[in-house]
Structure formats: C-alpha cells, structure tokens
Amino acid sequence: MDALYREEILEHYKYPKNRGKIEKPDITSFDTNPLCGDECRIDLKIEGNRVKEIKFDAKGCAISQAATSMLTEMIEDKSLEEIKKIGKKELLEELGLELGPVRLKCALLCLKVLKSGVYGIKDWPT
Ligand code: FES
C-alpha cells in the first residue's frame, strides 16, 4: 500500500469527518456488511435538493470508517442527482487502494447505504 494513501486512511480513521447524528434527517439509511456484521448509518439534511449536512455513524474496520468519512466529504454540497452518479470507481479512486473482494465490501458499504437512502426517498424535499 502506498504510504501516502495509508497515512490518509489512518487520518480519516482516527479523525473521521462528519461523524455523528442528525436530528430529524431528511434522509437516513442503515445497512450492515454481511461478511462481518459491521454497521453503517448515514443521515442527510437536504435543502434546495442539495446536501446541507451529512453525518454518519459506523462500526467497522479502518477501511470502512475511512471510506465512509471520505465519502461524506465527497458529497458535501452535492445535489441528489450528482450523488446518484457517484460510483464505486470514484470512491475507490479516492481511497487509492487496490482491494480484494472482502475489503471491497468494507469500502463500499457506505456507498450502498448512501445510494439506498438517496434512491429510497419518498417525498422529494424542495
Ligand atoms: Fe467489517 Fe471491514 S471488517 S467493515
């Protein structure tokens, strides 16, 4: 693993961005990694169809925590349409790691949670 990336991942793991909970979120989504049972919840506050605030709470390994923290930074102030376009490739590029199938599940859990929240929204906020 490249030392620079390793350092960035450890930084996000130790000092995660946007960790917490939003009272009365417009979107909230939760899921677990089926391989290990670790959990991830993402809350979003939406204003004018854009992310006004994002918080996550997750229990898991360094890769999953760092990926979730990075993902929350990636979507700050993004529109819901822009979020729908974020794919595995973008998140994995941000992580900067080559991951095997098990670690891939760790890294992508947050994206699955985010997407299911964004796509699952019933009343589109205005
Ligand atoms: Fe559980 Fe990575 S080992 S999320």
Side-chain angles (χ1 to χ4, degrees):
M1 190 191 307
D2 184 292
L4 191 67
Y5 285 125
R6 189 172 51 218
E7 208 170 291
E8 202 184 338
I9 284 167
L10 281 175
E11 274 296 302
H12 276 275
Y13 178 57
K14 283 197 245 169
Y15 310 106
K17 307 290 187 303
N18 300 309
R19 183 184 279 281
K21 188 177 167 60
I22 295 177
E23 291 303 321
K24 299 188 186 154
D26 295 304
I27 297 173
T28 187
S29 183
F30 172 87
D31 209 342
T32 58
N33 181 341
L35 297 180
C36 62
D38 287 336
E39 303 172 345
C40 178
R41 195 199 68 247
I42 294 180
D43 295 337
L44 297 172
K45 201 85 186 159
I46 305 296
E47 207 174 270
N49 202 39
R50 285 191 175 272
V51 174
K52 183 169 190 290
E53 191 182 359
I54 174 163
K55 294 284 182 198
F56 81 94
D57 192 18
K59 184 169 69 91
C61 62
I63 298 277
S64 76
Q65 301 289 301
T68 312
S69 174
M70 286 175 174
L71 182 65
T72 65
E73 285 195 314
M74 285 169 71
I75 67 162
E76 280 172 353
D77 204 38
K78 290 273 189 293
S79 72
L80 294 175
E81 291 311 316
E82 287 169 323
I83 292 173
K84 286 179 181 177
K85 288 184 191 141
I86 295 174
K88 297 176 187 179
K89 193 171 159 271
E90 285 83 356
L91 179 58
L92 294 174
E93 272 174 14
E94 196 70 20
L95 266 174
L97 299 174
E98 287 287 328
L99 299 172
V102 173
R103 286 303 182 187
L104 214 49
K105 285 241 185 270
C106 300
L108 296 176
L109 174 63
C110 57
L111 188 60
K112 184 179 163 204
V113 169
L114 176 67
K115 292 279 184 141
S116 65
V118 169
Y119 277 99
I121 191 167
K122 291 187 183 76
D123 299 307
W124 206 263
T126 53

